[in-house]
Amino acid sequence: MIEIRGITKRYGDKYAAKNVTFTVNAGEIMGFLGPNGAGKSTTMNILTGYLSATSGTARIDGIDILQDPIAAKAKIGFLPEQPPLYPDLTVKEYLNFVYDLKKCKLDRKKHLEEICRVVEISDVYNRVIRNLSKGYRQRVGIAQALVGNPPVLIFDEPTVGLDPKQIIDIRNLIKDLGKEHTVILSTHILPEVQAICDRIVVINKGEIVADEKTENIARAVEGKRRMTYNVCGPKDEVLKLIRSIPGVTYAEIIGNRELDSTAFLVESDDKIDIRKPLFFALADKRWPLIGMDVMGMDLEDVFLALVDQKNRKEEARKGGRKGEKK
Amino acid sequence: MLAVYKKELRSYFVGPIGYIYVALYLLVSSLIFTYTTLYAGTCSVTTYYTFILYLFAILIPLLTMRMLSEEKKSRTEQILLTAPVSLTSVVTAKFLAAFTLFAGTLLVSCLHFITFFALDGTPNVAIMVSTTFGIILIGAAFVAIGIFVSACTENQLVAALVTIVAIASTLVLNVLSGYVTFTPLRVVMRWLSVFDRFYAFTYGYFDFVALLYYVSITVIFLFLTVRVLEKRRWE
């Protein structure tokens, strides 16, 4: 449905996107993950025809965005990073404007009512956009993308700046939309893509570092096990004990969280589950284990892990070729 | 195209700008009219419209300053540039919206001329019509210049000031050219001056060359506007 080949965008000698290539199949929800400034927005803006690439092609349903921009754009609903809202208009006026702008052929009243129901903005339909809360504005932005019922939906960081309940609502909404649309969703929040997306493309510094099914990314990310344990006991001795357990690669004291217990950060080999041996070892000493927590990897760690993995794969491939020559 | 046109026209009157423009134009034009015709005891509208041209320098930027600068600043241009419409139609629609308000107000202000008949004057209707027509053409060119300037910045105030300077300089060029002794330069200055061609209309002529000149300026600046927006995608 969406096909991006070798997209490069150069500003002077800086690359905002470098040879970005991926495809998204019809009906898929693709998560586009990367830290701020990695090139997510640039790629999305090129895909939607807002920016032009220095080189490379972007096709929507087989139509090149540069060769036939109007036909390609008609297939896309786009929510940019900052929703393109006219603050002076009411939601009603705004959506009617978008309806006309996109030359929509569907039944106007029914279509707009349906959209408002789906994104839950019916109660602010006659209010001026300027006076709406951030959450409602974001929804109006999504509503705007849905006008004309385009087969492809592109959302650039749709949950930024929302409160937790709104984030959950928007995620559920996108998940629902994904049943009938092809969706690209960009974010810098890992759990977000894990929760919604079928596939994840990871971009860092303008380059794609991973393009995998969601569960594969999860595996790559969880390779290294990192946990915190809260233990009541003499901290130095507890630390020594933890370090002595087979499979533990790293352990440190991270502080006293409660009065009588100490928190330890422990990293272990991904093939060995140290939780049970650790529990029994502490039980033997009668040092109660009162808390156990998985430390999520943050995005930085994910990138390091993925970049690492990619480099290793490439080295292996190169090594293989050298071997053949010999 | 109709969508953008309607939205632009509406946005003039959602905020204060449209009202300010219409009110100021009608107020100042009535004053000028009173002094240049009624007090001067003439039915000739030439002096009246000459002053009106200077009024344009201050008022037309009100119509055009926000048009593209604000879209860029608030990033709403993204919806226009990613919608299935061409840039040319967006720019044309914006031009037509500003032009509609401009020409509409101007036509309303022509009600001033009724006083000639009410006071038993002997106005030359042909001259009034042709001069008004010429003024509308010049206004269209100024609107196009204003839209072009607005596309080049994201600051409304800068857009307004630059437009004022641009329009004023085309008006002053004519006066300045009188002081230039170097003939080729004087010819170029007079050619660029919008005034020069305006005088034919004040004699009641329908000057086809002038028509072509003003329409060309309008089209050129709208074309340049499209190019500026187009270029931004590549930079």
Side-chain angles (χ1 to χ4, degrees), chain B residues 30 59 61 77 81 85-86 95 105 119 144 156 158 174 180 194 216 228 231-232:
Chain B
S30 334
L59 287 187
E77 59 171 5
L81 300 187
V85 290
S86 69
F95 167 77
T105 315
L119 297 173
Q156 297 186 35
V158 172
N174 191 53
V180 174
V194 290
S216 305
V228 166
K231 185 180 157 280
R232 207 181 289 156

Side-chain angles (χ1 to χ4, degrees), chain A residues 112-127:
Chain A
L112 294 184
E113 266 173 17
E114 166 76 12
I115 288 174
C116 290
R117 193 182 53 74
V118 169
V119 301
E120 295 172 19
I121 52 171
S122 305
D123 47 334
V124 295
Y125 195 52
N126 286 311
R127 282 178 58 186

